[in-house]
């Protein structure tokens, strides 16, 4: 991080490669999937211009995650002003796995961000709990508790919608 | 108890897999980061433009500076000679002589001597060129402005020998002031002598072969009027005085 602050673009590239998935997960917990990659680039562009503001290298993950959260919030504010148009009827809604994934993602996004962030990083980006704690600058116990609580809340939200279980399971 | 097993798998993928978590992972896997973006090289490190405009500009400026230095290194010789040509030795000059490039200018007699072969300053140089004059080789037969400008010794005979035949003592006394005027005529002998009616200017170039009747008595007059013998040719003038 010190090298990146000194102007080494390769060092900043290493930071980008290291934190890109976590930043994407943070944004994906708040923003639609179609704008996530653009917002990721915006976050790193802002970080590149302001990286000299970080005093301690240990604070960089939390600082970068905060930029991602702020960018996502700003996007929500801008999108609230826009007028939305309904999708054309010929587009299938739940036929493709991508649409099913988007529906599932919306359920996770409906959770509080404290739970949605670690859940998306774990379930979408495939990161482990320790990785999530390290990339977000959080304690592992805090992440573990939030993962557990978030999964519990998601299960409660999805179970009524799920089809009936096989008879052998339900006695 | 089941929660602890689920937590292990949810936490780091270890322990017994939770089917609910596995189904979520399978469903949401298509929303993961594109692999090409993950493996891709860091974006900020883009190669620079192939055309180095700054380097080209600096190189052109350096080349211009070198050329300027080379030009200045040659010009000092010109500047060194100009102050010698312009100096106070010629305050009454027209200015046309200084501006001319081909004309050596009437400023310094030391520089004018080698170029003015027909207007010799010193008597030693004048002799071979004036051999065809009627007065003889060593005697300045005609009114030569070059003699007037070089020293007071040579001015006297020619000033007294004006074309009108009237010796002018006042002009002889003012001889040092007219050095400049005589030098003017030296610088542009051909043109000025032909244009002006001044006989002093006509003599050296246009009328060198012309023997004028007046020059013979002229050398006598200056010795009468002036007591000082000419320094340029003392050996020739003293016998006339005696």
């Amino acid at each position: 991080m010190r090298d990146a602050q000194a102007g080494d673009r390769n060092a900043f590239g290493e930071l980008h490669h290291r934190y890109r998935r976590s930043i994407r997960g943070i944004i994906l917990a708040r923003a639609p999937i179609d704008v996530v990659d653009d917002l990721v680039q915006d976050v790193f562009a802002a970080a590149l211009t302001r990286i000299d503001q970080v005093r301690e290298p240990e604070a960089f993950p939390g600082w970068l995650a905060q930029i991602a959260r702020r960018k996502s919030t700003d996007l929500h504010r801008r999108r609230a002003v826009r007028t939305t148009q309904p999708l054309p009827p010929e587009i299938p809604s739940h036929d493709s796995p991508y649409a099913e994934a988007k529906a599932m993602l919306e359920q996770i996004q409906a959770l509080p961000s404290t739970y949605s962030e670690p859940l998306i990083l774990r379930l979408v980006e495939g990161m482990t709990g320790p990785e999530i704690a390290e990339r977000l600058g959080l304690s592992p116990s805090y992440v573990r508790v939030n993962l557990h609580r978030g999964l519990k809340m998601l299960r409660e939200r999805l179970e009524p919608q799920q089809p009936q279980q096989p008879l052998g399971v339900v006695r | 108890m089941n929660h602890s097993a689920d937590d292990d798998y949810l936490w780091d993928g270890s322990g017994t897999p939770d089917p609910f978590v596995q189904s979520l992972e399978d469903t949401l896997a298509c929303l993961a980061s594109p692999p090409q973006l993950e493996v891709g090289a860091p974006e900020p490190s883009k190669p620079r433009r192939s055309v180095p405009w700054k380097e080209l500009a600096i190189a052109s400026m350096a080349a211009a500076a070198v050329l300027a230095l080379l030009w200045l290194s040659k010009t000092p010789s010109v500047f060194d000679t100009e102050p010698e040509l312009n100096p106070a030795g010629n305050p009454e000059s027209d200015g046309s002589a200084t501006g001319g490039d081909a004309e050596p200018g009437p400023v310094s007699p030391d520089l004018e001597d080698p170029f003015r072969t027909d207007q010799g300053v010193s008597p030693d140089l004048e002799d071979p060129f004036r051999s065809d004059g009627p007065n003889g080789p060593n005697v300045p037969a005609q009114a030569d402005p070059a003699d007037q400008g070089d020293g007071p010794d040579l001015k006297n005979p020619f000033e007294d020998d004006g074309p009108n035949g009237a010796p002018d003592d006042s002009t002889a006394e003012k001889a040092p002031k007219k050095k400049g005027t005589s030098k003017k005529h030296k610088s542009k002998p051909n043109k000025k002598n032909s244009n002006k009616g001044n006989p002093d200017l006509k003599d050296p170039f246009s009328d060198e072969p012309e023997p004028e009747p007046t020059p013979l008595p002229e050398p006598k007059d200056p010795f009468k009027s002036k007591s000082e013998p000419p320094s340029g040719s003392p050996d020739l003038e003293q016998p006339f005085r005696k």
Side-chain angles (χ1 to χ4, degrees):
Chain A
M1 203 274 288
R2 295 295 185 192
D3 294 336
Q5 285 182 330
D8 188 356
R9 295 300 182 91
N10 291 326
F12 190 82
E14 291 293 332
L15 293 175
H16 176 269
H17 183 68
R18 182 180 179 86
Y19 291 96
R20 196 183 70 81
R21 285 198 304 164
S22 62
I23 296 302
R24 189 175 185 273
I26 292 171
I27 295 172
L28 195 58
R30 294 171 174 82
I33 185 65
D34 56 343
V35 298
V36 168
D37 292 330
D38 291 338
L39 282 179
V40 170
Q41 297 301 321
D42 292 343
V43 168
F44 280 99
L48 180 62
T49 58
R50 304 172 188 170
I51 194 170
D52 55 347
Q53 297 177 357
V54 183
R55 296 180 180 178
E56 297 297 331
E58 294 79 11
F60 177 76
W63 175 77
L64 190 63
Q66 195 62 30
I67 293 175
R69 295 185 185 104
R70 193 177 303 127
K71 289 282 184 183
S72 302
T73 305
D74 293 340
L75 178 70
H76 272 291
R77 290 173 183 171
R78 282 179 288 174
R79 287 215 163 189
V81 179
R82 295 181 184 177
T83 58
T84 58
Q85 295 179 354
L87 293 173
E90 62 269 16
I91 295 177
S93 59
H94 294 284
D95 295 339
S96 64
Y98 184 77
E100 186 178 357
K102 282 189 68 175
M104 187 68 70
L105 179 64
E106 290 176 356
Q107 294 295 326
I108 299 173
Q109 287 177 340
L111 299 175
S113 61
T114 307
Y115 305 140
S116 63
E117 278 186 17
L119 275 180
I120 287 175
L121 290 174
R122 173 65 183 85
L123 300 175
V124 176
E125 298 296 336
M127 298 170 68
T128 62
E131 286 179 338
I132 296 169
E134 188 259 334
R135 302 296 166 82
L136 297 184
L138 303 173
S139 64
S141 59
Y142 179 77
V143 173
R144 186 162 189 164
V145 168
N146 288 335
L147 276 174
H148 175 74
R149 292 178 181 177
L151 185 64
K152 183 180 178 182
M153 291 179 69
L154 181 63
R155 191 193 302 269
E156 292 174 354
R157 289 176 66 91
L158 294 176
E159 277 179 353
Q161 298 177 0
Q162 287 181 351
Q164 293 181 352
Q165 295 291 331
L167 295 175
V169 176
V170 181
R171 267 203 285 182
Chain B
M1 297 297 288
N2 289 330
H3 288 291
S4 64
D6 294 339
D7 287 344
D8 290 339
Y9 182 78
L10 182 65
W11 174 244
D12 56 1
S14 63
T16 58
D18 186 0
F20 180 68
V21 175
Q22 282 184 332
S23 64
L24 289 175
E25 287 176 345
D26 295 337
T27 303
L28 297 172
C30 62
L31 300 179
S33 299
Q36 64 272 12
L37 293 178
E38 290 182 0
V39 180
E43 295 178 3
S45 62
K46 292 181 179 179
R48 297 180 65 183
R49 295 182 105 187
S50 60
V51 180
W53 295 107
K54 290 184 178 178
E55 287 77 0
L56 288 176
I58 292 170
S60 62
M61 292 293 290
V66 169
L67 290 176
L69 289 175
L70 290 175
W71 182 74
L72 290 174
S73 64
K74 293 179 180 179
T75 51
S77 61
V78 177
F79 291 116
D80 291 338
T81 56
E82 285 182 352
E84 292 179 356
L85 294 172
N86 290 328
N90 219 0
E92 297 177 357
S93 62
D94 294 334
S96 60
T98 57
D101 293 332
E103 294 175 358
V107 178
S108 63
D110 297 333
L111 295 174
E112 290 173 358
D113 292 336
F115 299 104
R116 296 174 186 167
T117 57
D118 53 351
Q119 297 176 356
V121 175
S122 63
D124 296 333
L125 295 174
E126 290 175 356
D127 294 336
F129 297 100
R130 296 176 183 174
S131 61
D132 52 354
N135 295 328
N138 292 329
V139 177
Q142 296 177 352
D144 192 357
D147 295 336
Q148 293 177 356
D150 293 332
D153 297 334
L154 297 174
K155 290 175 183 177
N156 294 328
F158 302 104
E159 289 175 355
D160 294 336
D161 296 337
N164 297 325
D168 192 1
D169 294 336
S170 64
T171 55
E173 293 176 357
K174 295 178 181 179
K177 291 182 180 179
K178 288 189 177 180
K179 287 181 181 178
T181 56
S182 63
K183 289 178 182 177
K184 291 180 191 175
H185 299 295
K186 288 178 183 177
S187 63
K188 296 179 180 179
N190 292 325
K191 295 179 181 179
K192 291 183 178 180
N193 291 330
S194 62
N195 293 328
K196 294 180 179 180
N198 190 359
D200 295 335
L201 299 175
K202 289 179 182 177
D203 294 334
F205 301 101
S206 63
D207 297 331
E208 283 182 357
E210 294 177 356
E212 292 181 1
T214 54
L216 291 173
E218 287 173 357
K220 295 178 181 179
D221 295 333
F223 299 112
K224 293 178 181 179
S225 62
K226 286 190 176 180
S227 62
E228 296 177 356
S231 63
S233 59
D235 297 334
L236 296 175
E237 293 176 357
Q238 287 176 355
F240 293 101
R241 292 179 182 176
K242 293 177 181 179

